[in-house]
Amino acid sequence: MKKLFTLIMVVLVATATIFPAYSLDDVDTTISTSDIEYFSDGSYAITTLENVSVSITRATSTKSGKKHVDFYDSDDELQWTVTVQGTFTYNGSTSTCTNSEVSYSVSDSKWKVKEAVASKSGSSAVGDFVFKRYALLIPVQTESVHMTLTCSADGTLS
């Protein structure tokens, strides 16, 4: 019985050292503000990039991420937020967007979303949005947002 147990342990240890360990779901959450854009009326938009997760296999890796734009008025009050989320596969020489989704939230009821479209193109997840601000049921301001979340061949999101 001892010999059988020893033999099983030797086989398990040998097998564990032959095959490299790959995590199926390494989480790599990093948030970094990448850009602030100011407009002539005093409003501004903050763009934030978020790496959500990484999954590694031998041939390819998968990465998910989000890009947010928060739009503030000249009084520093949040008006609305838009997000494009993408899932990508990459292998060191190429990358491909496999899924693209958009979402939004409106903080000021004067703004209405008129368009929120997700698409993908090569290694990019794309989100297109159109917001309108109303005063007494009359549109007085329109903001269009075109967002692109791109994954490089080495898995870097931008």
Side-chain angles (χ1 to χ4, degrees), residues 136-152:
L136 300 173
L137 303 175
I138 299 169
V140 294
Q141 183 179 0
T142 300
E143 294 293 335
S144 298
V145 180
H146 176 80
M147 298 174 59
T148 304
L149 176 64
T150 302
C151 182
S152 68

Side-chain angles (χ1 to χ4, degrees), residues 9-124:
M9 291 305 292
V10 168
V11 169
L12 288 175
V13 169
T15 305
T17 58
I18 291 172
F19 298 106
Y22 289 100
S23 174
L24 293 178
D25 194 28
D26 293 332
V27 176
D28 178 30
T29 301
T30 329
I31 298 176
S32 61
T33 299
S34 58
D35 187 37
I36 300 176
E37 184 178 359
Y38 295 95
F39 303 103
S40 60
D41 65 353
S43 61
Y44 58 97
I46 300 175
T47 302
T48 306
L49 178 65
E50 178 181 355
N51 292 299
V52 179
S53 67
V54 177
S55 177
I56 301 171
T57 63
R58 286 181 188 233
T60 62
S61 300
T62 302
K63 183 170 240 182
S64 296
K66 296 179 182 180
K67 189 180 272 190
H68 312 275
V69 173
D70 298 315
F71 183 77
Y72 291 85
D73 66 8
S74 58
D75 295 325
D76 298 327
E77 293 181 14
L78 180 64
Q79 302 299 293
W80 43 262
T81 300
V82 293
T83 303
V84 62
Q85 180 170 346
T87 303
F88 307 89
T89 58
Y90 62 97
N91 61 14
S93 59
T94 63
S95 69
T96 304
C97 179
T98 58
N99 188 46
S100 176
E101 299 177 18
V102 294
S103 60
Y104 60 88
S105 64
V106 178
S107 301
D108 187 331
S109 61
K110 295 174 191 161
W111 287 93
K112 305 290 183 212
V113 67
K114 294 301 177 184
E115 183 178 307
V117 177
S119 61
K120 55 187 178 178
S121 175
S123 60
S124 297

Side-chain angles (χ1 to χ4, degrees), residues 120-133:
K120 55 187 178 178
S121 175
S123 60
S124 297
V126 180
D128 288 295
F129 304 87
V130 176
F131 284 86
K132 291 192 179 221
R133 184 171 61 91

